[in-house]
Amino acid sequence: MDLATATFKEISSAVRGKQISALEVTKYFLQRIESLDKRINAYTTINSAAESEAKIVDQKIANGEDPGLLAGVPFAAKDMFCTKGMRTTAGSKILQNFIPPYDATVIQKLRNAGVVILGKLNQDEFAMGSSNETSFFGPCRNPWNTDFVPGGSSGGSAAAQAARLAAGTLGTDTGGSIRQPASFCGVVGVKPTYGRVSRYGIIAYASSLDQAGPLTSTIEDAALALEVICGQDERDMTTSDHQVPNFSQDLNEDLKGYRIGLLKEYMNSGALSAEVQKAVDIAITALKARGAQFVEVSIPLTEFAVPMYYLIASSEASSNLARYDGVKYGFRAQFENLSAMSLDDFYGQTRGQGFGKEVKRRIMLGTYCLSSGYYDAYYNKACQVRRLLRDQFLDVFKNCDVILSPVTTSPAFKIGDRVSDPMAMYLNDIFTVSTNLVGLPGMSVPFAVSESGLPIGIQLQAVHFAEQKMLNVGLALEKESLVAGRSPHVI
Ligand code: GLN
């Protein structure tokens, strides 16, 4: 078995069958991180207990106990997930030394399934960004070409997955942060339906949009990870009691009877690069040949999706980030005479030094939108339009099972190219933000490679809780993928 390409099933059955120990698997990946991550900067923290955690899995197997569905499979998580005793920074100076006293539910579920957590992954600060350039820990690099961004905000997760610095990774997606880096790095990335996965213990960015999900090398691995992490959680009242299907067992690439929607507003957006357009066209032809039917559908409110998203996300962020005040935990500015400080100065200096530029921009925008006099004109209005957007999507899903579209307008861009132009960066989110505004499941499937050798993903979206349909179309796309057999240059 080659661990650089092995699937979850291959690893866990070899560990269970004692052909290889969980400890050996863990050591392999830790060594890989040691030798490759200097050039990628995907990890912010390595779990110093990883080897001893692997030994516990081996011990369970030796004792004849059930080691779990993903026994000995090494994962790493975006630095948004609280990990007991392991530093969790959200990519920010303000949480630079924060060590949570508990695990996020998702981390706990992975551990219960026999997963070994290798460490924590780089990201845009508080998940605000599309390129992983706003991280306090410096930019993460794309393993296919280290001059390019890996995408964001879960850039470390996508880059680590592409370079196989873990067998599986976790990200969060508020407006595209799993799908967009997955597309740029040539890996599978799934954002589940809002409410499928517990947000307990995940650092909040915009609570009505945030959702956690897996980034993996194959669709089957993503399906297995979803089986483990989905489900109702009494610690998160927004989790749904919908039954969690056996996604991996129900995978089926037969597309007969499937209707796939093409959104008029996405396909004619004019913003699409020729290479992404070509990838989408090839994907459509391939799926037609496999029996899928295509229908044109329309969401007229698409033109308002990006402004709606940035208004709502910034408003919720300004409220969520109020907790970082230097009093309870996290970074506190140094003061010569603390007792002589006014409270305003104490907060102001701590937050002024602790947050980066992009985070401050969002806090100011959000505070403005929520302030009295503007609340109705901006925040409330955006929430009303959000509801109408949902109605339009629900109508469209009466006519199709899955919507196929690009993930981004272009393949990965160069580090530094867009970071000084926030508007250009925001507009790049046009294809991904509606999914979150409506709470739908969405995913990116690695499909094509650009002339300059960078991956291009295809986005699939389904109606609430119809992840299985999306995964099935994803499986068919995977079989036709032009990325198959190619690996990032860094390896
Ligand atoms: N690029 C979007 C933003 O900056 C999405 C981020 C995300 O999904 N976390 O808000």
Side-chain angles (χ1 to χ4, degrees):
M1 176 176 58
D2 180 2
L3 286 171
T5 52
T7 64
F8 291 175
K9 262 192 186 161
E10 286 166 348
I11 298 175
S12 63
S13 66
V15 168
R16 223 175 280 126
K18 298 186 194 158
Q19 283 108 301
I20 189 167
S21 67
L23 181 60
E24 285 168 310
V25 176
T26 300
K27 281 187 169 159
Y28 168 89
F29 280 97
L30 289 175
Q31 200 147 49
R32 219 176 145 82
I33 297 165
E34 170 81 32
S35 68
L36 292 175
D37 199 41
K38 290 184 257 331
R39 283 146 67 201
I40 302 175
N41 197 26
Y43 277 81
T44 50
T45 304
I46 305 289
N47 179 12
S48 55
E51 291 189 11
S52 46
E53 288 168 17
K55 283 184 198 158
I56 296 174
V57 176
D58 288 328
Q59 193 56 50
K60 272 194 178 166
I61 294 168
N63 295 347
E65 293 167 38
D66 177 10
L69 185 67
L70 300 179
V73 177
F75 262 70
K78 185 178 185 177
D79 227 356
M80 291 291 264
F81 294 83
C82 284
T83 38
K84 188 174 178 180
M86 203 193 311
R87 188 171 76 135
T88 298
T89 69
S92 182
K93 179 177 177 181
I94 215 158
L95 287 175
Q96 185 183 174
N97 297 313
F98 173 57
I99 300 189
Y102 63 96
D103 274 336
T105 295
V106 172
I107 298 289
Q108 192 56 56
K109 280 178 177 253
L110 284 175
R111 289 192 196 280
N112 292 346
V115 161
V116 174
I117 305 288
L118 296 173
K120 309 299 289 293
L121 299 168
N122 206 346
Q123 58 164 97
D124 281 297
E125 186 178 2
F126 282 101
M128 297 172 189
S130 309
S131 63
N132 211 132
E133 292 171 286
T134 70
S135 169
F136 174 65
F137 299 93
C140 174
R141 295 174 177 273
N142 192 318
W144 291 77
N145 183 335
T146 51
D147 291 336
F148 286 74
V149 302
S153 62
S154 313
S157 309
Q161 187 63 40
R164 291 286 289 196
L165 304 182
T169 60
L170 281 179
T172 62
D173 191 311
T174 303
S177 279
I178 289 176
R179 291 160 285 158
Q180 193 245 28
S183 174
F184 283 6
C185 291
V187 299
V188 176
V190 183
K191 177 234 171 263
T193 306
Y194 186 79
R196 260 290 193 216
V197 178
S198 169
R199 288 180 295 109
Y200 177 76
I202 301 175
I203 293 173
Y205 163 12
S207 308
S208 76
L209 303 159
D210 297 342
Q211 191 64 179
L215 293 94
T216 57
S217 301
T218 67
I219 301 282
E220 189 196 47
D221 284 356
L224 280 165
L226 288 172
E227 278 169 40
V228 171
I229 65 171
C230 291
Q232 193 172 22
D233 180 9
E234 61 180 19
R235 290 170 152 158
D236 174 1
M237 298 303 281
T238 62
T239 49
S240 155
D241 61 1
H242 262 75
Q243 210 203 328
V244 181
N246 286 323
F247 296 115
S248 63
Q249 281 162 37
D250 295 345
L251 278 177
N252 185 346
E253 66 193 81
D254 181 5
L255 298 187
K256 272 182 214 82
Y258 269 79
R259 288 165 70 87
I260 301 181
L262 296 174
L263 270 188
K264 200 165 90 188
E265 292 77 10
Y266 284 179
M267 305 311 283
N268 307 335
S269 77
L272 223 51
S273 75
E275 291 192 301
V276 175
Q277 182 71 59
K278 191 171 146 202
V280 172
D281 292 343
I282 300 174
I284 294 171
T285 311
L287 295 180
K288 271 187 190 157
R290 287 177 160 261
Q293 249 187 11
F294 279 81
V295 287
E296 188 181 77
V297 290
S298 169
I299 305 276
L301 282 172
T302 296
E303 67 171 303
F304 301 111
V306 169
M308 217 187 303
Y309 168 80
Y310 275 95
L311 225 147
I312 293 173
S314 300
S315 299
E316 292 184 15
S318 74
S319 164
N320 274 328
L321 270 57
R323 73 191 68 174
Y324 305 105
D325 56 9
V327 176
K328 301 178 284 292
Y329 52 83
F331 169 83
R332 176 187 292 178
Q334 293 290 312
F335 301 106
E336 270 186 19
N337 185 356
L338 191 58
S339 54
M341 294 294 299
S342 77
L343 198 55
D344 274 354
D345 282 347
F346 175 86
Y347 289 155
Q349 289 197 38
T350 293
R351 288 164 66 83
Q353 293 169 34
F355 288 134
K357 204 167 152 188
E358 183 60 30
V359 173
K360 285 180 195 158
R361 189 180 356 253
R362 309 276 179 115
I363 292 175
M364 283 189 276
L365 182 65
T367 307
Y368 178 80
C369 295
L370 292 179
S371 58
S372 76
Y374 293 107
Y375 183 93
D376 282 330
Y378 294 117
Y379 183 71
N380 229 0
K381 183 60 77 187
C383 291
Q384 287 165 343
V385 185
R386 179 182 189 178
R387 175 54 201 258
L388 297 176
L389 182 73
R390 179 187 159 93
D391 292 345
Q392 290 189 353
F393 266 96
L394 292 182
D395 268 349
V396 158
F397 280 118
K398 287 178 188 150
N399 293 319
C400 64
D401 301 291
V402 164
I403 296 172
L404 181 146
S405 74
V407 183
T408 54
T409 52
S410 67
F413 44 90
K414 275 205 164 136
I415 293 176
D417 260 11
R418 293 195 191 161
V419 74
S420 54
D421 185 355
M423 273 310 275
M425 199 77 99
Y426 297 172
L427 288 172
N428 203 33
D429 294 343
I430 173 72
F431 302 122
T432 51
V433 291
S434 296
T435 321
N436 304 70
L437 285 166
V438 180
L440 303 170
M443 72 188 291
S444 174
V445 184
F447 188 71
V449 180
S450 75
E451 263 169 36
S452 55
L454 294 165
I456 299 172
I458 297 290
Q459 178 173 249
L460 302 170
Q461 297 175 85
V463 78
H464 303 100
F465 301 102
E467 283 89 354
Q468 190 72 53
K469 285 186 182 173
M470 184 176 86
L471 292 166
N472 289 352
V473 178
L475 186 67
L477 271 180
E478 185 177 61
K479 305 271 174 191
E480 305 285 343
S481 174
L482 308 167
V483 188
R486 303 185 57 157
S487 49
H489 296 172
V490 86
I491 297 180

